[in-house]
Amino acid sequence: MYAMQYRTGALVLLVLILACIPGCTTSNPEPVPPPEATVPVTVPTPESTLAAVPSADMALQPADLPSDYVLRERSVMTSPEVSQLTRDLGWKQGYYVTFDRTGRSRSDQTRVRQAVSIFPIENMNRVFKLEKIELSESTNPFSSPNEIPFPVVGDQSVAYRMTDTPEEGQVTYTVIFIKKNVFERITMSGTSTDYEMLKDIVQKAAGKIT
């Protein structure tokens, strides 16, 4: 009887052990995190180094100046109208426009002139450097150009003022700048020049280069 009880107890113990094995040996699997959402990467389009519009479309318009300025002349440039040095630097095309002030006294002579030129992009730094040297060294019998503070325009810019030019008692401001493959020279000269107005129209001119 003892042996039977022993066998019965052993059998029960074996059943309990076998029942425990799956639960004891199997661990709960770790949760698998959901895959991260793929975020599309936006690659910025590189800005073009070349102007997207022709030189004529970069010219100032009457609406860009005060109402007492009128358009006097606008035209494309031709190769004979530019210097040999300019042609050597790869000049491609150009455009100029001239405005005069009216409605003031007969002795008032004030003019704004803009010249736009297109060059190969690889020559722009040299174009600016040579034009700046030429401008800084220009003189008349009465005075020499003085570099003046001016807001930065385009990629490089500089501004000068000369007194007693083009005639005695008059003033000439000249601003040159490059932006992309465009070189511009804007002058304001005469008896009633306006530095603040000049800053405004130069910024408008630079904004037309896209």
Side-chain angles (χ1 to χ4, degrees):
M1 183 176 180
Y2 175 79
M4 183 180 296
Q5 291 177 346
Y6 176 79
R7 287 196 297 270
T8 302
L11 181 61
V12 171
L13 179 61
L14 178 61
V15 171
L16 291 175
I17 292 173
L18 292 176
C20 180
I21 288 175
C24 295
T25 59
T26 304
S27 59
N28 293 329
E30 294 184 1
V32 178
E36 295 184 1
T38 302
V39 179
V41 178
T42 302
V43 179
T45 302
E47 183 179 356
S48 173
T49 57
L50 304 179
V53 296
S55 55
D57 291 348
M58 303 177 208
L60 292 165
Q61 301 298 319
D64 296 321
L65 283 78
S67 58
D68 54 353
Y69 278 84
V70 297
L71 177 65
R72 287 299 184 201
E73 185 180 12
R74 60 184 170 192
S75 177
V76 295
M77 295 181 189
T78 61
S79 181
E81 293 177 303
V82 300
S83 67
Q84 182 61 49
L85 176 60
T86 299
R87 294 194 293 271
D88 292 342
L89 290 169
W91 180 85
K92 295 182 176 182
Q93 62 170 287
Y95 201 88
Y96 70 88
V97 60
T98 302
F99 298 88
D100 287 336
R101 181 168 25 208
T102 61
R104 301 286 181 99
S105 65
R106 295 185 62 181
S107 61
D108 181 20
Q109 303 174 22
T110 306
R111 167 167 289 187
V112 172
R113 189 177 191 275
Q114 175 198 27
V116 182
S117 291
I118 309 297
F119 289 89
I121 186 65
E122 63 270 17
N123 291 347
M124 295 312 298
N125 287 333
R126 190 172 176 215
V127 169
F128 181 81
K129 179 180 178 180
L130 294 176
E131 290 285 349
K132 180 180 178 181
I133 291 173
E134 180 182 358
L135 181 58
S136 65
E137 293 178 350
S138 61
T139 59
N140 65 29
F142 305 102
S143 69
S144 299
N146 295 300
E147 185 174 345
I148 59 174
F150 204 83
V152 176
V153 184
D155 302 322
Q156 295 185 65
S157 61
V158 68
Y160 290 89
R161 179 177 59 205
M162 289 186 69
T163 57
D164 295 319
T165 183
E167 298 180 9
E168 189 174 1
Q170 298 184 3
V171 174
T172 294
Y173 290 98
T174 304
V175 180
I176 61 172
F177 69 89
I178 57 173
K179 182 178 179 182
K180 296 188 175 183
N181 62 330
V182 181
F183 170 79
E184 290 205 25
R185 178 190 293 259
I186 298 178
T187 60
M188 173 184 283
S189 60
T191 56
S192 301
T193 55
D194 186 334
Y195 172 77
E196 297 302 326
M197 172 190 154
L198 177 65
K199 290 194 296 184
D200 179 62
I201 62 175
V202 168
Q203 292 292 346
K204 288 178 179 177
K208 294 178 183 291
I209 303 173
T210 58

